Every structure is written in C-alpha cells, then in structure tokens.
C-alpha cells in the first residue's frame, strides 16, 4: 500500500484517500472525492489531479518527491490568495438577506437618494486616506481595469465615477475595497497583516451599507428608488471585480445573480414601457435617471447624469459577465432575451449598449458567443433527453459560423485601412504625459478579432467535439497567438482578453505551450494579473491531461470548471 508514497513520508499518520484525487493521495490528506475539484484542493487553490489513470510522476521515486515539493511550493505561493478570500464575505448572507433588527428607513426618491439613513452616513468616515484611495482609483486603477473605457471629456469623461463616490456611501465603500487592495500592491505591502485587516474592515462596511440600501428597495416599487438601485447595481459590480482581483470566485454566482435581478427589475419597472420592447425600456430608464446637465456659459455641452452614465456602463459590464458565465455553466445567458434589442443596431441607430466602449470588443462578437452558448445549452439538454438531432445542430451552427466569418473578414479588411485617430483640441492637455497615452482605436478592432477567432473555436468544439489537432482549430489558435504577441500592444491588454486566451490555450499544440506560458508569466506582478494566471492554471491542467481520460467527452466548459463551479475569466 505504501509503494505510491514518496520516500521519507511514511511516518505521516494523516488519513489519506485511496479513491480520491492524486493530489490528496500524494499529500497524504483525506479527500472528499468531489469532482472535478475536491474541497481540500479548492480551499488551498492548488491543482487537483483527478485522472482515472495513475500519473507518470506517481512512481514512488524521484519524480514523486519532486511533485510533492512542487505542491508544497504551490500551497505556500497561494497563501495570499486564501487570505484575500477570507476577507470577502458572502453576499448572499451579508447583502441579499435583510437584517430584521435594522430600524426602518424612510424611502427616498430622486437623484439625491442616498439609500442610507443619517446615522449610517455619519458613521462612515471620509478621511484623507480615503481621498488618496479614491484618486488612485480614478487615475490608475479604473483605467487599468477598463483601458478601453475612455468617454469624451466633452461628455463628462469619467466624472460620473467621482460624483458617485462623493455622493453615494454605497458606491464609495465598494470602491475603497478595490482601491486599498491595489494600492497596497503598488506599495509592495500586500502581505502585511495590517493591510488585510484594513481590507476586511472596509469590505464589512461596504456590505453593511449595501444591506441598508437593499432594505429600502425591498418590497417597494423599484421606480421609487431608481437612482439608488443603479448605485447598488454599480456597487455590486465593483465588489465582483474586487473578488476576481483576489481570485476569490466562491461568490461570483451570488453577485451575478444579484446584479441580474436588479437589472431586470429596472427594465421591467412600470415606467419602463416594456410593451414597446427592451430597447425602449432601457432608454426610458436612462431618461428617468436624468436630466442631463448643461455646462459651460453658453450651455452648449450636455453631460449625462452620474446615474445615467453608471447604468449604461454597468449594464455593458453585466451583459459581458453574463455571456462569459454562460460558457462555463453551459446555460443560456440570463439576459439573452435582451441581447438583440440592446446590442444590435436597429434602423441605422446606435445600439443602446456599446460593449466596445466598455471592454474593447465589438458587440457582434459577443452576441455570437452568446448564440453559441445557447446552442451548447440546447445540445446538452438534448443529449440528456436522448433526442439530439445532429442535422439540426449542424444547421444552426452553420448559420452562426457564416455570420462570424462574414463579420471577421470585413473587420480584418477594414483593419488594414484604418487611419490614425482623429485629433481633438483636447489632445493638447495630454500630449506631454506618457502615462496618459491613448489606447489606439485600431486596438479594439484587433481585440475583436481575437474574440471572433475564439468564438469560432468555441463553436467548433460545441459541434465537432474536442479535436485540437484539427487544421481549423490550429488555424484559429495560431491567429490568436499572432494577434496577442505581434499586433496588440501593450501586452498588459491581455488582461482584457482572458477568456479567448484561455480558449486558445486549452486547444493549443504542445509546441505552443511554452509561448503561451511565457505570455502569462511576462505580466508582473502575478497578483495584479490574477485572472491571466488563473487562465494559465486551467490551460496547464488541460495540457497535463492531454492524453489521459475520455477526450470524446471533453469540452471547454469542463476545462473552465476544473478550477471550480464558476471561474469568471473577465
């Protein structure tokens, strides 16, 4: 029985598992045998080796001892991530469940609605350190997280973020959680216990404010609290991004559910005229969140209100997150019914939501990924029922592929002739500041190409199964690597394309592994590019099991879920 143990580890009396994952067997730990990732490995954020066949390194000799040492290093390296996870409470317990002992709060309406009572506002300090954190967020963190979001100064720029942080305790506390964490990274003191205690306190305060705010809108007409609801939705999206930053994915589903519920309530509110269509409902909500402000002495520039800008931006990020989540869960995107009316150009007019302005990818590419996830969900449902019609699958997939190919060909043709960005009189204010350099307009076209090639890979796997050696698969993998390494700049933009990067990596050939690994490891420090490293972990797991197990039943969703139930690669 002891032949599988590394030499020198037989003295350990810890109960080990004979049917659990190979990681727990090697570490001589009890395994709960959950698949695809056991609780022990998930809690430590280490690779869970759950193959049917015995790994080659489980040889009872030198290779086994090397793997044991590697796992020890992995446990130690992931310590900061586990601490970050403990600092983030569960939104289902701390936010979505209202506290019965909290005193009733008088409903508030209109743009001045704070959704918290006077005592709560007075108990939230706003000191000099907060102003530093909020400035850091505006000048450095937000542009890093969303490098393509650059609204015109003449349309208010990102002033709505500052306005909401100043006027809304809900938004401010959610923002401070993120900002203090990344600020500590910038100062190189992320391992300091004081930093984590501060973050824990700020996170608890944020959830406390959200709890008060949700109590106000619970059970009441959403139209009475339109502005406050938008602030709550924006705050939850902030908390979502914070958790992803510290690679804590346990609450992703809960946060996504909360944001989706608020979005639906806003668009289905009585004043949103749902009978006129989702596009009209969205525009009606935007209108009610106004009015826009006229500025300058001549009153010639109209700037959206903070809530209007927040709702438009948060809705774009939410739809994006929902689509990515659907590819992991193999479910139809929860907001799929809204896609065509909110993301399509209708009668020559601009779509109400512009994903390119928020995340750098044009609407059509993500619309197609949403369509493919719907097709995948339909396929899985038919397989479970035993009535899959392959002809219907191919027919539906062909329509998606033809549309993708058409859009991609047009985009690649247009990208060659893109002229340099049109200059603006405002350029004189940033011309001499390298740190404020623009992300070229052409980059979003290249980024969209990356997403489109990944969408075609996703579609291929849904229809034809796991065939990484296919010429079509290798063509699209090669195109993604070419775009990421030779055309898209700076390399840090990879952080905005984690999902397509991971899709390409999972289907890459062995000869491409080193290049993909190098792309991820070149982004330093790892704690700032956590989702890129998470994608690399998923890819490495696929590479290790390339010739092991039942490849016929492998798909991208299984690869994504190897690291947990919902790993949101955004």
């Amino acid at each position: 029985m002891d032949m599988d143990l590394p030499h020198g580890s037989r003295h350990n009396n810890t109960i080990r598992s004979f049917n659990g994952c190979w990681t727990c067997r090697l570490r001589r730990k009890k395994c709960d045998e959950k698949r695809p990732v056991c609780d022990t490995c998930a809690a430590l954020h280490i690779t869970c080796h759950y193959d049917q066949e015995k790994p080659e390194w489980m040889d009872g000799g030198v290779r086994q001892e090397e793997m044991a040492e590697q796992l020890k290093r992995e446990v130690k390296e992931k310590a900061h991530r586990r601490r970050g996870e403990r600092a983030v409470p569960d939104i289902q317990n701390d936010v979505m469940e209202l506290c019965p002992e909290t005193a009733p709060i008088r409903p508030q309406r209109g743009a001045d609605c704070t959704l918290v009572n006077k005592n709560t506002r007075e108990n939230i300090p706003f000191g000099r350190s907060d102003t530093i954190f909020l400035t850091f967020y505006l000048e450095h963190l937000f542009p890093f997280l969303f490098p393509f979001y650059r609204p015109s100064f003449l349309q208010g720029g990102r002033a709505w973020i500052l306005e909401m942080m100043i006027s809304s305790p809900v938004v401010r506390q959610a923002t401070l959680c993120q900002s203090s964490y990344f600020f500590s990274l910038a100062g190189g003191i992320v391992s300091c216990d004081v930093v984590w205690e501060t973050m824990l306190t700020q996170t608890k305060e944020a959830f406390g404010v959200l709890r008060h705010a949700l109590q106000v809108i619970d059970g009441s007409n959403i139209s009475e609290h339109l502005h406050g609801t938008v602030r709550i939705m924006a705050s939850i999206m902030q908390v979502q991004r914070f958790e992803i930053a510290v690679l804590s994915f346990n609450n992703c589903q809960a946060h996504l559910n909360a944001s989706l519920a608020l979005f639906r309530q806003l668009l289905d509110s009585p004043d949103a005229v749902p009978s006129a269509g989702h596009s009209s409902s969205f525009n009606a909500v935007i209108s009610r969140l106004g009015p826009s402000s006229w500025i300058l002495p001549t009153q010639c520039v109209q700037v959206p209100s903070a809530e209007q800008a927040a709702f438009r931006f948060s809705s774009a990020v939410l739809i994006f997150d929902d689509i990515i989540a659907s590819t992991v869960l193999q479910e139809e995107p929860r907001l799929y019914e809204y896609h065509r009316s909110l993301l399509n150009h209708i009668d020559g007019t601009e779509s109400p939501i512009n994903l390119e302005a928020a995340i750098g990818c044009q609407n059509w590419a993500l619309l197609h990924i949403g369509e493919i996830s719907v097709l995948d969900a339909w396929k899985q449902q038919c397989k479970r029922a035993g009535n899959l019609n392959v002809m219907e699958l191919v027919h539906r997939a062909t329509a998606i592929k033809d549309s993708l190919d058409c859009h991609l060909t047009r985009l690649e043709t247009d990208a060659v002739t893109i002229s340099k960005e049109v200059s603006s009189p405002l350029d004189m204010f940033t011309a001499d500041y390298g740190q404020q350099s623009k992300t070229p307009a052409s980059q979003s076209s290249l980024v969209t190409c990356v997403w489109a090639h990944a969408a075609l890979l996703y579609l291929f796997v849904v229809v034809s199964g796991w065939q990484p050696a296919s010429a079509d698969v290798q063509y699209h993998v090669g195109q993604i690597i070419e775009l990421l390494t030779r055309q898209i700049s700076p390399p840090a933009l990879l952080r905005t394309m984690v999902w397509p990067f991971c899709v390409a990596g999972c289907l890459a050939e062995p000869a491409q592994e080193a290049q993909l690994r190098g792309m991820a490891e070149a982004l330093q420090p790892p704690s700032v590019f956590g989702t890129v490293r998470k994608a690399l972990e998923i890819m490495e797991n696929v590479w290790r099991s390339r010739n092991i197990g039942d490849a016929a039943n492998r798909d991208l969703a299984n690869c994504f879920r190897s690291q947990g139930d919902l790993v949101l690669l955004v």
Side-chain angles (χ1 to χ4, degrees), residues 17-58:
S17 170
F18 294 95
N19 297 311
C21 71
W22 292 102
T23 303
C24 288
R25 294 194 218 186
L26 178 59
R27 298 182 63 244
R28 296 178 62 87
K29 302 296 182 183
K30 187 171 182 179
C31 182
D32 59 14
E33 302 180 20
K34 285 187 179 180
R35 294 173 183 259
V37 181
C38 71
D39 284 348
T40 302
C41 292
L44 293 172
H45 294 289
I46 60 176
T47 305
C48 187
H49 297 279
Y50 233 136
D51 304 319
Q52 294 293 331
E53 299 180 14
K54 183 177 178 181
E56 293 181 359
W57 46 259
M58 204 72 171

Side-chain angles (χ1 to χ4, degrees), residues 116-281:
V116 292
N117 59 25
K118 181 179 178 181
N119 290 335
T120 302
R121 292 197 301 272
E122 291 176 348
N123 288 333
I124 299 175
F126 189 74
R128 185 168 185 272
S129 62
D130 292 338
T131 62
I132 293 173
F133 286 145
L134 297 182
T135 303
F136 172 77
Y137 181 86
L138 278 173
E139 294 185 352
H140 300 284
L141 181 52
F142 190 90
F144 171 76
L145 295 175
F146 300 100
F148 294 96
Y149 184 69
R150 296 170 178 266
S152 168
F153 289 116
L154 296 178
Q155 291 298 314
R158 293 189 286 259
W160 64 269
I161 305 172
L162 176 62
E163 181 180 339
M164 294 190 74
M165 288 191 299
I166 293 174
S167 64
S168 171
V170 174
V171 176
R172 182 164 68 248
Q173 291 305 123
T175 303
L176 284 172
C177 294
Q178 281 193 95
S179 190
S180 61
Y181 169 73
F182 280 100
F183 190 86
S184 66
L185 290 181
I189 53 173
V190 71
S191 60
C192 177
D193 289 338
V194 176
V195 172
W196 288 103
E197 287 300 323
T198 301
M199 287 171 50
L200 178 59
T201 300
Q202 290 172 336
T203 305
K204 287 180 176 178
E205 289 174 352
F207 279 97
V209 176
L210 279 169
R211 195 160 48 236
H212 280 284
L214 283 165
Q215 186 186 23
V216 174
I217 65 173
D218 183 56
S220 64
N221 188 339
I222 197 73
S223 18
E224 295 180 351
H225 310 289
L226 211 60
H227 295 75
T229 303
V230 167
R231 293 171 182 174
I232 294 175
M233 190 175 95
S235 300
I236 294 175
M237 297 304 294
Q238 292 281 355
V239 173
Q240 179 84 296
R241 282 301 184 270
F242 167 68
E243 288 194 312
I244 292 172
V246 297
L247 293 183
S248 172
F249 296 97
N250 292 343
N251 299 322
C252 271
Q253 188 67 71
H255 291 178
L256 190 60
N257 290 344
S259 299
L260 290 167
L262 291 174
F263 180 84
R264 283 182 175 276
Q265 287 181 53
L266 286 165
L267 261 67
D268 296 341
S269 59
D271 298 319
V273 288
S275 59
H278 297 308
S279 177
S280 298
S281 297

Side-chain angles (χ1 to χ4, degrees), residues 292-325:
S292 302
S293 302
W294 291 94
I295 61 175
L296 300 181
T298 57
Q299 301 290 294
C300 61
V301 176
Q302 189 174 19
V303 176
S305 72
E307 285 76 17
Q308 285 175 324
F311 182 56
R312 200 178 292 278
F313 174 78
S314 298
S315 297
V317 175
L318 179 60
I319 288 178
F320 172 65
D321 286 3
D322 181 43
I323 291 173
I324 300 304

Side-chain angles (χ1 to χ4, degrees), residues 426-443:
L426 289 171
D427 290 345
M428 61 181 164
F429 296 113
T430 57
D432 297 326
Y433 297 92
Q435 70 273 21
Q436 299 293 334
S437 60
K438 293 184 177 180
T439 299
S442 60
Q443 294 293 284

